[in-house]
Amino acid sequence: MSALPRAFYDRPVLDVAPELLGCVLAHGHTSGVIVETEAYHFTEPACHAFVGVTPRTAVLHGPPGTAYVYRSYGIHALFNAVCEPAGVAAAVLIRALEPLDGIPEMIARRGLTREEDLCSGPGKLTQALGIELHLNGGDLRTGPVRILAGEPRRYVAGPRIGITKATELPWRFSVAGSRFVSRPWPRP
DNA sequence: CATGGGATTGACT
DNA sequence: GTCAATCCCATGC
């Protein structure tokens, strides 16, 4: 499997977010298939880059295909892939994985054994893969954290989770029928 | 320099 | 269903 090229990320974030479903996020000996994503764009207030360029959002304004990792609620590291050309701040939050490689290592880090619970949330998957803040800004093709090409998946879209602003935008995407998503979808 | 608010999770009523 | 944990950083004085 090969790493996604920079050009994959150098596009509108609403195109990239659903196409990341089915691709593989890898760190060290652990990896998983991406089954849930959310898009964020500087033009809407839920995006950290809405406030402009600050030390925190510098990576978001940088070149596409890099990792944006930040601490949430003082406890969890959340992982994003930076998209769109440098100067256009946007990112895809990876919200859930289907565990692939290194499952015993994930179980040890998480202290749980059910595969559905290892990576079914943005804070859970970073813990399972050992992704921490120092990986912020890394190149997703050549760095310690990589995203590898995969097969396109059928998906569903809906509102983003856990935010208080711009909640009306249907910018959450997940693989149709996956049991590894962070939150279930309402009945069709 | 002090303050306040989270792109969450897990434990508990 | 409710709620605390915990820390980076944006904002305002």
Side-chain angles (χ1 to χ4, degrees), chain A residues 103-112 118:
Chain A
I103 290 178
E105 200 171 338
M106 294 186 191
I107 289 173
R109 288 188 178 126
R110 293 274 297 125
L112 298 167
L118 293 178

Side-chain angles (χ1 to χ4, degrees), chain A residues 59 65-68 134-145:
Chain A
V59 170
T66 56
Y68 170 51
H134 64 92
L135 297 168
N136 187 40
D139 192 313
L140 295 177
R141 298 164 303 160
T142 60
V145 179

Side-chain angles (χ1 to χ4, degrees), chain A residues 1-187:
Chain A
M1 240 172 338
S2 59
L4 292 170
R6 187 178 295 280
F8 177 88
Y9 303 98
D10 195 357
R11 296 183 295 146
V13 69
L14 288 179
D15 291 343
V16 177
E19 290 184 32
L20 277 173
L21 301 172
C23 297
V24 173
L25 178 65
H27 180 228
H29 301 293
T30 57
S31 70
V33 179
I34 297 170
V35 297
E36 183 177 345
T37 61
E38 281 179 2
Y40 288 87
H41 193 266
F42 78 98
T43 52
E44 44 91 13
C47 183
H48 292 166
F50 186 70
V51 297
V53 183
T54 66
R56 182 195 202 189
T57 64
V59 170
L60 284 171
H61 290 82
T66 56
Y68 170 51
V69 186
Y70 73 97
R71 188 163 304 290
S72 175
Y73 292 92
I75 302 173
H76 308 285
L78 269 57
F79 174 86
N80 301 247
V82 175
C83 296
E84 309 222 7
V88 181
V92 176
L93 170 70
I94 308 300
R95 284 194 58 89
L97 306 176
E98 176 177 338
L100 194 61
D101 296 313
I103 290 178
E105 200 171 338
M106 294 186 191
I107 289 173
R109 288 188 178 126
R110 293 274 297 125
L112 298 167
T113 56
R114 290 182 69 239
E115 283 195 20
E116 297 91 331
D117 297 331
L118 293 178
C119 301
S120 57
K124 297 179 185 178
L125 69 90
T126 54
Q127 184 186 17
L129 270 60
I131 295 173
E132 254 303 333
L133 294 198
H134 64 92
L135 297 168
N136 187 40
D139 192 313
L140 295 177
R141 298 164 303 160
T142 60
V145 179
R146 301 188 189 201
I147 300 182
L148 312 174
E151 290 299 310
R153 305 296 177 99
R154 288 206 327 120
Y155 65 89
V156 291
R160 294 176 293 184
I161 291 176
I163 56 173
T164 58
K165 295 169 246 180
T167 55
E168 74 285 359
L169 299 174
W171 287 6
R172 175 192 179 208
F173 307 93
S174 66
V175 172
S178 173
R179 72 183 208 275
F180 296 94
V181 298
S182 65
R183 307 272 286 276
W185 288 81
R187 280 285 201 172

